Amino acid sequence: MTGRLRAPTGRYGGKTAAERQAERRGRFLDAALKLFGGTPGYRGTTVAALCEAAGLSTRQFYEEFRTLEDVLAALHLRVNDWAEEAVVAAFAAAAAGLPLTERVTVIFRAYAGNVTADPSRIRITFVEIVGVSPRLEEQRLARRARWIELICAEATAAVERGEAAPRDYRLAATAFIGSVNGLLHDWTAGWVDATLDEVVDELVRQLLGILRPPGWVPEGR
């Protein structure tokens, strides 16, 4: 299949063609979250199985996607967007005016709560996306870079407020993201005997140790 079939246009059942297309796409992604993020996983899922789970036809699949890899790519972005939206909302609602420790805790509770709300999200983000193709590896690293930029931006703001030590945080943020990914994946898999609150507290301690290394004294003290 070299290209997508053309979707019908016009209004049907009170919905526009664009609305019907968005609904179909959402149903495919919802079904993919269950199949790719559970059993049988991305590599064990066929187009026919995905269509059956979504309650849609193969014709409708090819109106939205070229391959199952396209579905996985879209789903990976969707799961990351959910987590990013949770972080941004938490910061806007509660974290902006808090001291550094409380601010970091609120942000990480929002992130961890979102990505662990459904084990399928963890599997999509940290397992199924890995090693599929150069294209998806590039996408995975690009989304990781986006999280690194977010941490660096927050660290820079903390430095400007005198809450953190001045330094280039890019390398440290990259290492920290690896810790976040690994610990949350292992916790979800049942390999870490701890509550989610304990996992978040440990990650917060790690990040604060990066921002406030031993021997550093805040300005004015």
Short mmCIF file of all heavy atoms in Angstrom, two decimals, residues 108-175:
data_model
loop_
_atom_site.label_atom_id
_atom_site.label_comp_id
_atom_site.label_asym_id
_atom_site.label_seq_id
_atom_site.Cartn_x
_atom_site.Cartn_y
_atom_site.Cartn_z
N PHE A 108 6.73 16.28 39.50
CA PHE A 108 7.02 14.87 39.28
C PHE A 108 5.86 13.97 39.69
O PHE A 108 5.67 12.90 39.09
CB PHE A 108 8.31 14.46 39.99
CG PHE A 108 9.49 14.59 39.10
CD1 PHE A 108 10.26 15.73 39.12
CD2 PHE A 108 9.80 13.60 38.18
CE1 PHE A 108 11.34 15.89 38.26
CE2 PHE A 108 10.87 13.74 37.31
CZ PHE A 108 11.65 14.88 37.36
N ARG A 109 5.10 14.38 40.66
CA ARG A 109 3.90 13.59 40.98
C ARG A 109 2.92 13.64 39.81
O ARG A 109 2.27 12.64 39.50
CB ARG A 109 3.24 14.12 42.25
CG ARG A 109 4.01 13.79 43.51
CD ARG A 109 3.15 13.88 44.77
NE ARG A 109 3.98 13.82 45.96
CZ ARG A 109 4.60 12.75 46.40
NH1 ARG A 109 4.50 11.62 45.73
NH2 ARG A 109 5.34 12.79 47.50
N ALA A 110 2.81 14.78 39.17
CA ALA A 110 1.91 14.89 38.02
C ALA A 110 2.39 14.01 36.88
O ALA A 110 1.60 13.31 36.24
CB ALA A 110 1.83 16.35 37.57
N TYR A 111 3.69 14.05 36.61
CA TYR A 111 4.24 13.23 35.52
C TYR A 111 4.08 11.75 35.82
O TYR A 111 3.56 10.99 34.99
CB TYR A 111 5.72 13.56 35.32
CG TYR A 111 6.39 12.63 34.32
CD1 TYR A 111 6.24 12.84 32.95
CD2 TYR A 111 7.14 11.54 34.75
CE1 TYR A 111 6.82 11.98 32.03
CE2 TYR A 111 7.73 10.68 33.84
CZ TYR A 111 7.57 10.90 32.49
OH TYR A 111 8.14 10.03 31.59
N ALA A 112 4.54 11.32 36.99
CA ALA A 112 4.49 9.91 37.33
C ALA A 112 3.06 9.40 37.41
O ALA A 112 2.76 8.29 36.96
CB ALA A 112 5.20 9.67 38.66
N GLY A 113 2.16 10.22 37.96
CA GLY A 113 0.77 9.82 38.04
C GLY A 113 0.16 9.60 36.68
O GLY A 113 -0.65 8.68 36.48
N ASN A 114 0.55 10.41 35.71
CA ASN A 114 0.00 10.29 34.36
C ASN A 114 0.54 9.06 33.65
O ASN A 114 -0.22 8.26 33.10
CB ASN A 114 0.30 11.55 33.56
CG ASN A 114 -0.37 11.53 32.21
OD1 ASN A 114 0.17 10.99 31.24
ND2 ASN A 114 -1.56 12.09 32.11
N VAL A 115 1.85 8.90 33.64
CA VAL A 115 2.42 7.80 32.84
C VAL A 115 2.17 6.44 33.46
O VAL A 115 2.18 5.42 32.75
CB VAL A 115 3.93 8.00 32.59
CG1 VAL A 115 4.19 9.25 31.79
CG2 VAL A 115 4.71 8.00 33.89
N THR A 116 1.93 6.38 34.79
CA THR A 116 1.66 5.10 35.42
C THR A 116 0.17 4.84 35.61
O THR A 116 -0.21 3.78 36.13
CB THR A 116 2.35 5.00 36.80
OG1 THR A 116 1.83 6.02 37.67
CG2 THR A 116 3.85 5.18 36.66
N ALA A 117 -0.67 5.77 35.19
CA ALA A 117 -2.11 5.59 35.32
C ALA A 117 -2.57 4.36 34.55
O ALA A 117 -3.55 3.71 34.92
CB ALA A 117 -2.85 6.83 34.83
N ASP A 118 -1.89 4.05 33.48
CA ASP A 118 -2.19 2.88 32.66
C ASP A 118 -0.85 2.23 32.31
O ASP A 118 -0.02 2.86 31.65
CB ASP A 118 -2.94 3.30 31.40
CG ASP A 118 -3.30 2.14 30.49
OD1 ASP A 118 -2.82 1.01 30.75
OD2 ASP A 118 -4.05 2.34 29.52
N PRO A 119 -0.59 0.98 32.73
CA PRO A 119 0.68 0.33 32.41
C PRO A 119 0.99 0.31 30.92
O PRO A 119 2.16 0.25 30.52
CB PRO A 119 0.49 -1.10 32.95
CG PRO A 119 -0.52 -0.96 34.03
CD PRO A 119 -1.45 0.13 33.57
N SER A 120 -0.03 0.37 30.09
CA SER A 120 0.19 0.38 28.65
C SER A 120 0.99 1.61 28.21
O SER A 120 1.76 1.55 27.26
CB SER A 120 -1.15 0.36 27.91
OG SER A 120 -1.86 -0.82 28.19
N ARG A 121 0.79 2.72 28.91
CA ARG A 121 1.52 3.94 28.55
C ARG A 121 3.02 3.77 28.80
O ARG A 121 3.84 4.21 27.99
CB ARG A 121 0.99 5.13 29.35
CG ARG A 121 -0.48 5.42 29.11
CD ARG A 121 -0.90 6.70 29.84
NE ARG A 121 -2.34 6.89 29.79
CZ ARG A 121 -2.97 7.97 30.25
NH1 ARG A 121 -2.27 8.93 30.82
NH2 ARG A 121 -4.28 8.07 30.17
N ILE A 122 3.36 3.14 29.91
CA ILE A 122 4.76 2.87 30.21
C ILE A 122 5.36 1.99 29.13
O ILE A 122 6.48 2.22 28.65
CB ILE A 122 4.90 2.20 31.59
CG1 ILE A 122 4.55 3.19 32.70
CG2 ILE A 122 6.29 1.63 31.78
CD1 ILE A 122 5.64 4.19 32.99
N ARG A 123 4.64 0.93 28.75
CA ARG A 123 5.18 -0.01 27.77
C ARG A 123 5.37 0.66 26.41
O ARG A 123 6.36 0.41 25.73
CB ARG A 123 4.25 -1.22 27.65
CG ARG A 123 4.80 -2.29 26.73
CD ARG A 123 4.06 -3.59 26.86
NE ARG A 123 4.45 -4.53 25.82
CZ ARG A 123 3.95 -5.74 25.68
NH1 ARG A 123 3.04 -6.18 26.54
NH2 ARG A 123 4.35 -6.52 24.70
N ILE A 124 4.43 1.50 26.02
CA ILE A 124 4.57 2.21 24.75
C ILE A 124 5.79 3.13 24.78
O ILE A 124 6.61 3.17 23.85
CB ILE A 124 3.30 3.04 24.44
CG1 ILE A 124 2.10 2.13 24.17
CG2 ILE A 124 3.55 3.97 23.24
CD1 ILE A 124 2.26 1.21 22.98
N THR A 125 5.95 3.85 25.87
CA THR A 125 6.99 4.87 25.98
C THR A 125 8.38 4.28 26.12
O THR A 125 9.33 4.78 25.52
CB THR A 125 6.71 5.79 27.18
OG1 THR A 125 5.41 6.38 27.02
CG2 THR A 125 7.73 6.90 27.28
N PHE A 126 8.50 3.20 26.90
CA PHE A 126 9.83 2.71 27.27
C PHE A 126 10.20 1.35 26.69
O PHE A 126 11.35 0.94 26.79
CB PHE A 126 9.96 2.63 28.80
CG PHE A 126 9.70 3.95 29.49
CD1 PHE A 126 8.98 4.00 30.66
CD2 PHE A 126 10.19 5.13 28.97
CE1 PHE A 126 8.74 5.20 31.31
CE2 PHE A 126 9.96 6.34 29.60
CZ PHE A 126 9.24 6.38 30.78
N VAL A 127 9.24 0.63 26.09
CA VAL A 127 9.53 -0.72 25.61
C VAL A 127 9.24 -0.87 24.12
O VAL A 127 10.15 -1.13 23.32
CB VAL A 127 8.73 -1.77 26.41
CG1 VAL A 127 9.01 -3.18 25.89
CG2 VAL A 127 9.06 -1.68 27.90
N GLU A 128 7.98 -0.72 23.74
CA GLU A 128 7.57 -1.04 22.37
C GLU A 128 8.21 -0.15 21.33
O GLU A 128 8.43 -0.55 20.19
CB GLU A 128 6.04 -0.98 22.26
CG GLU A 128 5.32 -2.03 23.08
CD GLU A 128 5.65 -3.45 22.67
OE1 GLU A 128 5.74 -3.72 21.46
OE2 GLU A 128 5.82 -4.30 23.56
N ILE A 129 8.51 1.08 21.70
CA ILE A 129 9.05 2.04 20.73
C ILE A 129 10.52 1.78 20.42
O ILE A 129 11.05 2.21 19.39
CB ILE A 129 8.89 3.48 21.28
CG1 ILE A 129 9.09 4.54 20.19
CG2 ILE A 129 9.83 3.73 22.43
CD1 ILE A 129 7.97 4.62 19.20
N VAL A 130 11.20 1.03 21.29
CA VAL A 130 12.65 0.86 21.18
C VAL A 130 13.00 -0.17 20.10
O VAL A 130 12.46 -1.28 20.08
CB VAL A 130 13.25 0.41 22.54
CG1 VAL A 130 14.75 0.15 22.41
CG2 VAL A 130 12.98 1.47 23.61
N GLY A 131 13.92 0.20 19.21
CA GLY A 131 14.47 -0.73 18.24
C GLY A 131 13.59 -1.09 17.07
O GLY A 131 13.89 -2.01 16.33
N VAL A 132 12.50 -0.36 16.88
CA VAL A 132 11.58 -0.69 15.78
C VAL A 132 12.17 -0.30 14.43
O VAL A 132 12.18 -1.08 13.48
CB VAL A 132 10.21 -0.01 15.99
CG1 VAL A 132 9.32 -0.20 14.77
CG2 VAL A 132 9.53 -0.55 17.23
N SER A 133 12.66 0.93 14.34
CA SER A 133 13.22 1.43 13.09
C SER A 133 14.03 2.69 13.37
O SER A 133 13.83 3.32 14.42
CB SER A 133 12.10 1.75 12.09
OG SER A 133 11.35 2.88 12.53
N PRO A 134 14.93 3.07 12.46
CA PRO A 134 15.65 4.33 12.64
C PRO A 134 14.72 5.53 12.79
O PRO A 134 14.99 6.45 13.57
CB PRO A 134 16.50 4.43 11.37
CG PRO A 134 16.71 3.02 10.95
CD PRO A 134 15.42 2.32 11.28
N ARG A 135 13.62 5.50 12.08
CA ARG A 135 12.66 6.61 12.15
C ARG A 135 12.07 6.76 13.55
O ARG A 135 12.02 7.86 14.11
CB ARG A 135 11.55 6.38 11.13
CG ARG A 135 10.31 7.24 11.32
CD ARG A 135 9.11 6.54 10.72
NE ARG A 135 7.87 7.25 10.99
CZ ARG A 135 6.67 6.70 10.80
NH1 ARG A 135 6.56 5.48 10.34
NH2 ARG A 135 5.57 7.38 11.07
N LEU A 136 11.65 5.64 14.14
CA LEU A 136 11.06 5.71 15.47
C LEU A 136 12.11 5.95 16.54
O LEU A 136 11.82 6.56 17.57
CB LEU A 136 10.26 4.44 15.78
CG LEU A 136 8.94 4.30 15.03
CD1 LEU A 136 8.11 3.17 15.62
CD2 LEU A 136 8.13 5.58 15.06
N GLU A 137 13.33 5.48 16.30
CA GLU A 137 14.39 5.78 17.26
C GLU A 137 14.67 7.28 17.28
O GLU A 137 14.88 7.87 18.34
CB GLU A 137 15.66 5.01 16.89
CG GLU A 137 16.77 5.11 17.90
CD GLU A 137 16.44 4.46 19.24
OE1 GLU A 137 15.37 3.80 19.37
OE2 GLU A 137 17.22 4.64 20.19
N GLU A 138 14.64 7.90 16.10
CA GLU A 138 14.82 9.35 16.04
C GLU A 138 13.69 10.07 16.77
O GLU A 138 13.92 11.05 17.49
CB GLU A 138 14.88 9.79 14.58
CG GLU A 138 15.11 11.27 14.39
CD GLU A 138 15.21 11.68 12.93
OE1 GLU A 138 15.25 10.79 12.06
OE2 GLU A 138 15.24 12.88 12.65
N GLN A 139 12.47 9.59 16.59
CA GLN A 139 11.33 10.20 17.28
C GLN A 139 11.45 10.03 18.78
O GLN A 139 11.19 10.96 19.55
CB GLN A 139 10.03 9.57 16.79
CG GLN A 139 8.79 10.09 17.53
CD GLN A 139 7.50 9.55 16.97
OE1 GLN A 139 7.19 9.75 15.80
NE2 GLN A 139 6.72 8.85 17.80
N ARG A 140 11.85 8.83 19.23
CA ARG A 140 12.00 8.58 20.66
C ARG A 140 13.02 9.52 21.28
O ARG A 140 12.80 10.11 22.34
CB ARG A 140 12.40 7.12 20.89
CG ARG A 140 12.52 6.73 22.36
CD ARG A 140 12.91 5.27 22.49
NE ARG A 140 14.30 5.06 22.13
CZ ARG A 140 15.33 5.21 22.96
NH1 ARG A 140 15.11 5.60 24.23
NH2 ARG A 140 16.56 4.97 22.57
N LEU A 141 14.16 9.66 20.61
CA LEU A 141 15.21 10.53 21.13
C LEU A 141 14.79 12.00 21.08
O LEU A 141 15.17 12.79 21.95
CB LEU A 141 16.50 10.31 20.35
CG LEU A 141 17.14 8.93 20.52
CD1 LEU A 141 18.36 8.79 19.63
CD2 LEU A 141 17.49 8.66 21.98
N ALA A 142 14.00 12.36 20.06
CA ALA A 142 13.51 13.74 19.97
C ALA A 142 12.58 14.07 21.13
O ALA A 142 12.64 15.16 21.71
CB ALA A 142 12.80 13.96 18.63
N ARG A 143 11.71 13.13 21.50
CA ARG A 143 10.83 13.38 22.63
C ARG A 143 11.60 13.39 23.95
O ARG A 143 11.30 14.16 24.85
CB ARG A 143 9.71 12.33 22.68
CG ARG A 143 8.67 12.47 21.57
CD ARG A 143 8.11 13.88 21.44
NE ARG A 143 7.38 14.33 22.59
CZ ARG A 143 6.14 14.80 22.57
NH1 ARG A 143 5.47 14.86 21.43
NH2 ARG A 143 5.55 15.22 23.66
N ARG A 144 12.61 12.54 24.05
CA ARG A 144 13.45 12.59 25.24
C ARG A 144 14.14 13.94 25.34
O ARG A 144 14.23 14.53 26.43
CB ARG A 144 14.50 11.47 25.21
CG ARG A 144 15.46 11.54 26.38
CD ARG A 144 16.53 10.49 26.31
NE ARG A 144 16.01 9.17 26.64
CZ ARG A 144 16.79 8.11 26.85
NH1 ARG A 144 18.10 8.21 26.74
NH2 ARG A 144 16.26 6.95 27.16
N ALA A 145 14.62 14.45 24.19
CA ALA A 145 15.28 15.76 24.18
C ALA A 145 14.32 16.85 24.63
O ALA A 145 14.74 17.82 25.28
CB ALA A 145 15.82 16.06 22.78
N ARG A 146 13.06 16.69 24.31
CA ARG A 146 12.06 17.68 24.73
C ARG A 146 11.93 17.71 26.26
O ARG A 146 11.81 18.78 26.85
CB ARG A 146 10.72 17.35 24.08
CG ARG A 146 9.65 18.39 24.24
CD ARG A 146 8.63 18.18 23.16
NE ARG A 146 7.39 18.90 23.41
CZ ARG A 146 6.44 19.07 22.50
NH1 ARG A 146 6.60 18.56 21.30
NH2 ARG A 146 5.34 19.72 22.79
N TRP A 147 11.95 16.53 26.89
CA TRP A 147 11.91 16.48 28.35
C TRP A 147 13.18 17.06 28.94
O TRP A 147 13.14 17.73 29.98
CB TRP A 147 11.70 15.04 28.81
CG TRP A 147 10.32 14.53 28.58
CD1 TRP A 147 9.92 13.57 27.69
CD2 TRP A 147 9.12 14.94 29.25
NE1 TRP A 147 8.56 13.38 27.76
CE2 TRP A 147 8.05 14.19 28.71
CE3 TRP A 147 8.86 15.87 30.25
CZ2 TRP A 147 6.74 14.36 29.15
CZ3 TRP A 147 7.55 16.03 30.69
CH2 TRP A 147 6.50 15.28 30.14
N ILE A 148 14.31 16.80 28.31
CA ILE A 148 15.58 17.36 28.78
C ILE A 148 15.54 18.88 28.73
O ILE A 148 15.96 19.56 29.67
CB ILE A 148 16.75 16.80 27.95
CG1 ILE A 148 16.93 15.31 28.23
CG2 ILE A 148 18.05 17.57 28.24
CD1 ILE A 148 17.88 14.62 27.28
N GLU A 149 15.00 19.42 27.66
CA GLU A 149 14.88 20.87 27.53
C GLU A 149 13.99 21.44 28.64
O GLU A 149 14.26 22.51 29.18
CB GLU A 149 14.31 21.23 26.16
CG GLU A 149 15.24 20.99 24.99
CD GLU A 149 16.45 21.92 25.01
OE1 GLU A 149 16.40 22.97 25.69
OE2 GLU A 149 17.45 21.59 24.36
N LEU A 150 12.92 20.72 28.97
CA LEU A 150 12.02 21.19 30.03
C LEU A 150 12.76 21.25 31.37
O LEU A 150 12.64 22.22 32.11
CB LEU A 150 10.81 20.27 30.11
CG LEU A 150 9.63 20.71 30.99
CD1 LEU A 150 8.33 20.13 30.44
CD2 LEU A 150 9.81 20.28 32.44
N ILE A 151 13.53 20.21 31.67
CA ILE A 151 14.29 20.19 32.92
C ILE A 151 15.33 21.30 32.92
O ILE A 151 15.51 22.00 33.93
CB ILE A 151 14.95 18.82 33.12
CG1 ILE A 151 13.88 17.77 33.39
CG2 ILE A 151 15.96 18.86 34.27
CD1 ILE A 151 14.42 16.36 33.46
N CYS A 152 16.03 21.47 31.81
CA CYS A 152 17.05 22.52 31.73
C CYS A 152 16.43 23.91 31.90
O CYS A 152 17.01 24.78 32.56
CB CYS A 152 17.79 22.43 30.40
SG CYS A 152 18.93 21.03 30.28
N ALA A 153 15.26 24.12 31.34
CA ALA A 153 14.58 25.41 31.46
C ALA A 153 14.20 25.68 32.91
O ALA A 153 14.39 26.79 33.43
CB ALA A 153 13.35 25.45 30.57
N GLU A 154 13.68 24.65 33.59
CA GLU A 154 13.32 24.82 35.00
C GLU A 154 14.57 25.03 35.85
O GLU A 154 14.56 25.84 36.79
CB GLU A 154 12.54 23.59 35.49
CG GLU A 154 12.21 23.59 36.97
CD GLU A 154 11.40 24.79 37.42
OE1 GLU A 154 10.71 25.40 36.59
OE2 GLU A 154 11.45 25.12 38.63
N ALA A 155 15.64 24.33 35.54
CA ALA A 155 16.88 24.49 36.28
C ALA A 155 17.44 25.90 36.10
O ALA A 155 17.90 26.54 37.06
CB ALA A 155 17.91 23.46 35.82
N THR A 156 17.39 26.40 34.88
CA THR A 156 17.87 27.75 34.60
C THR A 156 17.06 28.79 35.38
O THR A 156 17.61 29.74 35.94
CB THR A 156 17.80 28.05 33.10
OG1 THR A 156 18.64 27.13 32.40
CG2 THR A 156 18.25 29.47 32.80
N ALA A 157 15.74 28.60 35.41
CA ALA A 157 14.87 29.52 36.17
C ALA A 157 15.21 29.46 37.66
O ALA A 157 15.22 30.49 38.34
CB ALA A 157 13.41 29.17 35.94
N ALA A 158 15.51 28.25 38.15
CA ALA A 158 15.87 28.11 39.56
C ALA A 158 17.19 28.80 39.86
O ALA A 158 17.36 29.41 40.92
CB ALA A 158 15.95 26.62 39.93
N VAL A 159 18.13 28.71 38.93
CA VAL A 159 19.42 29.40 39.09
C VAL A 159 19.19 30.91 39.17
O VAL A 159 19.76 31.60 40.03
CB VAL A 159 20.37 29.06 37.93
CG1 VAL A 159 21.60 29.97 37.96
CG2 VAL A 159 20.80 27.60 37.99
N GLU A 160 18.35 31.43 38.30
CA GLU A 160 18.08 32.86 38.28
C GLU A 160 17.41 33.33 39.57
O GLU A 160 17.58 34.50 39.97
CB GLU A 160 17.20 33.19 37.07
CG GLU A 160 17.91 33.00 35.74
CD GLU A 160 16.99 33.17 34.55
OE1 GLU A 160 15.75 33.27 34.77
OE2 GLU A 160 17.50 33.18 33.41
N ARG A 161 16.69 32.44 40.22
CA ARG A 161 16.05 32.80 41.50
C ARG A 161 16.98 32.55 42.69
O ARG A 161 16.60 32.77 43.83
CB ARG A 161 14.77 31.99 41.69
CG ARG A 161 13.62 32.41 40.78
CD ARG A 161 12.33 31.71 41.17
NE ARG A 161 12.41 30.28 40.94
CZ ARG A 161 11.97 29.67 39.82
NH1 ARG A 161 11.42 30.38 38.85
NH2 ARG A 161 12.07 28.37 39.69
N GLY A 162 18.19 32.05 42.40
CA GLY A 162 19.13 31.77 43.48
C GLY A 162 18.83 30.48 44.21
O GLY A 162 19.36 30.24 45.31
N GLU A 163 18.01 29.59 43.60
CA GLU A 163 17.61 28.35 44.25
C GLU A 163 18.52 27.18 43.88
O GLU A 163 18.43 26.12 44.50
CB GLU A 163 16.18 27.98 43.87
CG GLU A 163 15.12 28.97 44.31
CD GLU A 163 13.75 28.57 43.80
OE1 GLU A 163 13.62 28.30 42.59
OE2 GLU A 163 12.81 28.54 44.61
N ALA A 164 19.32 27.33 42.83
CA ALA A 164 20.13 26.22 42.34
C ALA A 164 21.50 26.73 41.91
O ALA A 164 21.68 27.92 41.61
CB ALA A 164 19.43 25.54 41.16
N ALA A 165 22.45 25.80 41.87
CA ALA A 165 23.83 26.15 41.51
C ALA A 165 23.93 26.44 40.02
O ALA A 165 23.38 25.70 39.20
CB ALA A 165 24.77 25.01 41.88
N PRO A 166 24.63 27.49 39.62
CA PRO A 166 24.80 27.78 38.20
C PRO A 166 25.73 26.76 37.54
O PRO A 166 26.83 26.51 38.03
CB PRO A 166 25.41 29.18 38.20
CG PRO A 166 26.06 29.32 39.54
CD PRO A 166 25.25 28.52 40.49
N ARG A 167 25.27 26.17 36.45
CA ARG A 167 26.06 25.20 35.68
C ARG A 167 25.33 24.89 34.40
O ARG A 167 24.17 25.30 34.21
CB ARG A 167 26.28 23.91 36.47
CG ARG A 167 24.98 23.22 36.87
CD ARG A 167 25.19 21.85 37.48
NE ARG A 167 25.69 20.89 36.51
CZ ARG A 167 25.74 19.57 36.75
NH1 ARG A 167 25.37 19.09 37.92
NH2 ARG A 167 26.18 18.75 35.84
N ASP A 168 25.97 24.16 33.50
CA ASP A 168 25.31 23.64 32.31
C ASP A 168 24.62 22.33 32.71
O ASP A 168 25.29 21.36 33.06
CB ASP A 168 26.34 23.39 31.20
CG ASP A 168 25.68 22.91 29.90
OD1 ASP A 168 24.48 22.60 29.92
OD2 ASP A 168 26.39 22.86 28.88
N TYR A 169 23.31 22.32 32.66
CA TYR A 169 22.55 21.19 33.17
C TYR A 169 22.22 20.13 32.11
O TYR A 169 21.57 19.13 32.43
CB TYR A 169 21.24 21.68 33.81
CG TYR A 169 21.44 22.19 35.21
CD1 TYR A 169 21.60 23.55 35.45
CD2 TYR A 169 21.49 21.33 36.29
CE1 TYR A 169 21.79 24.03 36.74
CE2 TYR A 169 21.68 21.79 37.57
CZ TYR A 169 21.83 23.14 37.79
OH TYR A 169 22.03 23.61 39.08
N ARG A 170 22.65 20.30 30.89
CA ARG A 170 22.20 19.40 29.83
C ARG A 170 22.64 17.96 30.08
O ARG A 170 21.83 17.02 29.97
CB ARG A 170 22.72 19.89 28.48
CG ARG A 170 22.14 19.12 27.29
CD ARG A 170 22.37 19.90 26.02
NE ARG A 170 21.77 21.22 26.12
CZ ARG A 170 20.47 21.47 25.94
NH1 ARG A 170 19.65 20.47 25.66
NH2 ARG A 170 20.01 22.68 26.04
N LEU A 171 23.91 17.73 30.41
CA LEU A 171 24.39 16.37 30.63
C LEU A 171 23.70 15.75 31.84
O LEU A 171 23.27 14.58 31.80
CB LEU A 171 25.91 16.39 30.83
CG LEU A 171 26.58 15.01 30.99
CD1 LEU A 171 26.33 14.15 29.76
CD2 LEU A 171 28.08 15.19 31.23
N ALA A 172 23.60 16.52 32.91
CA ALA A 172 22.95 16.00 34.12
C ALA A 172 21.48 15.69 33.87
O ALA A 172 20.95 14.68 34.36
CB ALA A 172 23.09 17.01 35.25
N ALA A 173 20.80 16.55 33.10
CA ALA A 173 19.39 16.31 32.79
C ALA A 173 19.21 15.06 31.95
O ALA A 173 18.25 14.29 32.15
CB ALA A 173 18.80 17.52 32.06
N THR A 174 20.14 14.82 31.03
CA THR A 174 20.08 13.62 30.20
C THR A 174 20.22 12.37 31.06
O THR A 174 19.47 11.39 30.89
CB THR A 174 21.18 13.65 29.13
OG1 THR A 174 21.03 14.83 28.33
CG2 THR A 174 21.11 12.42 28.24
N ALA A 175 21.18 12.39 31.99
CA ALA A 175 21.36 11.25 32.89
C ALA A 175 20.15 11.06 33.79
O ALA A 175 19.72 9.92 34.04
CB ALA A 175 22.62 11.46 33.73
#
